[in-house]
Amino acid sequence: MNVIKKRCRIISIALIASFVLTGCQTDVSIFNNYDVILPHDGQNAFGTKEQQLFSSNICVVPKKKQSEKDLFMTAGASLIFDNTDNKMLYADNIYQKMYPASTTKIVTALVALKYGNLDDVVTIGYNATHITEYGAKLCGFAEGDKITLKKLLYSFLICSGNDAGIAIAEHISGSVEKFAELMNKEAKSLGCSGSNFVNPHGLHDDNHYTTPYDLYLVFHELLNYDVFMDIINQSSYKAEFKGADGSKKTLWFSSTDKYLLGSAKAPDGVTVIGGKTGTTSMAGSNLILYTKNDNGKDYISVVMHASDSFSLYSQMSHLLEMENK
């Protein structure tokens, strides 16, 4: 029992230190989001999830310490965090469970990068080429096509093709269902307490949801992967691969990010590195973004459930203006 109490005291000191160093607002209400029994309750309830969460140099925002509502921000939820100093600039409704649409794909990317071999050759299967949902965006791969996992991941994130998502899932886990289990496992390991994923692409399912803060946690982790950083910065991509008969095939993809395409403009002094969009009728318009300002600081921003694309980018640009204040 003395050993347990000593470990609890050590963890308490470490948590307090991490909060002070990050500069984020804190009080014990933050633990309500992560089902943590505090050490002063006499129990050492900090498992692997909590240890990782509070040792990851992240921004922690208590439920009751979010921002006063900015009336310009009409989306369902939004946030912008200074990723250099781990400070909250704005946070609204960030723990609300929401349908994520294709922002789901960043979770798929994390699993693929962690468990996959980018040099593997993936064979596109039947399920990937037979998505029947109306309006589902596809890369256009044919059954039997062979492409490296690295090229497939570029195609997947840049084009936002749902067929590529199924191909990735089946290659790594054998099925979409098994892959979703891995998605949930990895998300929970990062402290994502408000998420449940049932597919790798984000096409609507009532049981497929996340929160803006959970997306931030996943995106924050992905910044450690150079390949991911390169992918999200591309405005277009040329995928070269082989067909089932061995013939050479090429597909060209354009980014879904309007900042990278030049059809949306970031505020002066802000450089958009890239991110991930997501849109369905149920989820509305969504975007998670990584940016830098002229002072050398970097930021992660999220807008979820905007009414349309114009509103999405208007509100995101409004958030980005906060980098210069």
Side-chain angles (χ1 to χ4, degrees):
M1 183 61 69
N2 289 335
V3 174
I4 291 175
K5 289 182 178 179
K6 183 177 180 181
R7 291 176 65 187
C8 288
R9 285 197 297 270
I10 292 171
I11 292 171
S12 298
I13 293 169
L15 288 176
I16 293 169
S18 71
F19 291 147
V20 172
L21 289 173
T22 62
C24 291
Q25 303 177 47
T26 62
D27 62 34
V28 295
S29 66
I30 181 61
F31 295 100
N32 295 337
N33 298 309
Y34 300 105
D35 301 319
V36 175
I37 301 173
L38 295 177
H40 61 62
D41 290 336
Q43 299 181 47
N44 180 11
F46 290 91
T48 302
K49 178 183 76 174
E50 288 78 21
Q51 289 171 354
Q52 288 186 353
L53 174 64
F54 294 111
S55 64
S56 298
N57 197 29
I58 60 170
C59 188
V60 177
V61 182
K63 270 185 178 179
K64 297 178 181 179
K65 296 292 186 179
Q66 296 185 58
S67 305
E68 181 178 346
K69 180 71 174 181
D70 184 324
L71 296 181
F72 188 85
M73 301 303 297
T74 59
S78 52
L79 66 83
I80 179 168
F81 294 162
D82 176 339
N83 196 58
T84 301
D85 297 327
N86 294 314
K87 291 183 178 180
M88 178 193 80
L89 301 188
Y90 183 78
D92 173 43
N93 212 22
I94 65 174
Y95 298 111
Q96 179 65 42
K97 293 178 182 178
M98 297 179 166
Y99 299 132
S102 285
T103 57
T104 298
K105 292 180 170 76
I106 66 169
V107 186
T108 300
L110 178 62
V111 174
L113 289 168
K114 186 170 181 178
Y115 291 91
N117 181 340
L118 293 179
D119 294 325
D120 277 358
V121 175
V122 179
T123 300
I124 308 297
Y126 175 88
N127 293 325
T129 58
H130 288 77
I131 295 175
T132 58
E133 183 166 331
Y134 177 78
K137 188 169 186 182
L138 305 173
C139 290
F141 294 110
E143 186 175 356
D145 283 347
K146 297 181 184 299
I147 184 171
T148 64
L149 180 59
K150 183 176 182 178
K151 291 180 179 180
L152 188 59
L153 193 59
Y154 270 79
S155 305
F156 174 60
L157 291 173
I158 293 171
C159 169
S160 200
N162 299 305
D163 48 351
I166 290 180
I168 290 170
E170 293 184 337
H171 176 74
I172 290 176
S173 297
S175 71
V176 165
E177 293 74 20
K178 289 293 185 183
F179 188 81
E181 291 178 7
L182 203 52
M183 293 172 72
N184 288 315
K185 173 187 173 184
E186 289 306 310
K188 285 181 173 59
S189 76
L190 295 175
C192 300
S193 63
S195 297
N196 186 67
F197 303 104
V198 301
N199 64 56
H201 41 59
L203 290 175
H204 183 74
D205 187 292
D206 286 346
N207 202 36
H208 184 100
Y209 52 82
T210 190
T211 71
Y213 188 74
D214 285 358
L215 286 180
Y216 155 73
L217 291 175
V218 174
F219 200 82
H220 181 273
E221 180 68 16
L222 279 164
L223 300 184
N224 295 312
Y225 291 86
D226 291 341
V227 171
F228 179 78
M229 297 300 294
D230 185 66
I231 293 173
I232 63 172
N233 191 231
Q234 304 300 316
S235 60
S236 62
Y237 182 66
K238 177 183 178 182
E240 296 179 313
F241 55 99
K242 291 185 178 181
D245 60 358
S247 60
K248 293 182 179 180
K249 300 177 74 172
T250 302
L251 288 173
W252 285 92
F253 305 117
S254 293
S255 173
T256 59
D257 186 333
K258 290 187 176 182
Y259 288 115
L260 295 183
L261 294 175
S263 52
K265 187 179 185 300
D268 291 341
V270 176
T271 299
V272 172
I273 307 303
K276 188 70 197 76
T277 61
T279 304
T280 66
S281 58
M282 295 292 288
S285 296
N286 306 268
L287 176 62
I288 183 166
L289 205 64
Y290 180 63
T291 56
K292 290 181 179 290
N293 69 7
D294 286 349
N295 293 324
K297 292 188 176 183
D298 60 315
Y299 300 80
I300 295 175
S301 307
V302 179
V303 176
M304 291 192 75
H305 289 214
S307 58
D308 53 51
S309 180
F310 177 80
S311 176
L312 173 69
Y313 283 91
S314 295
Q315 292 181 70
M316 179 59 80
S317 291
H318 184 72
L319 286 181
L320 300 183
E321 289 174 355
M322 298 179 187
E323 295 183 19
N324 295 323
K325 293 181 180 179

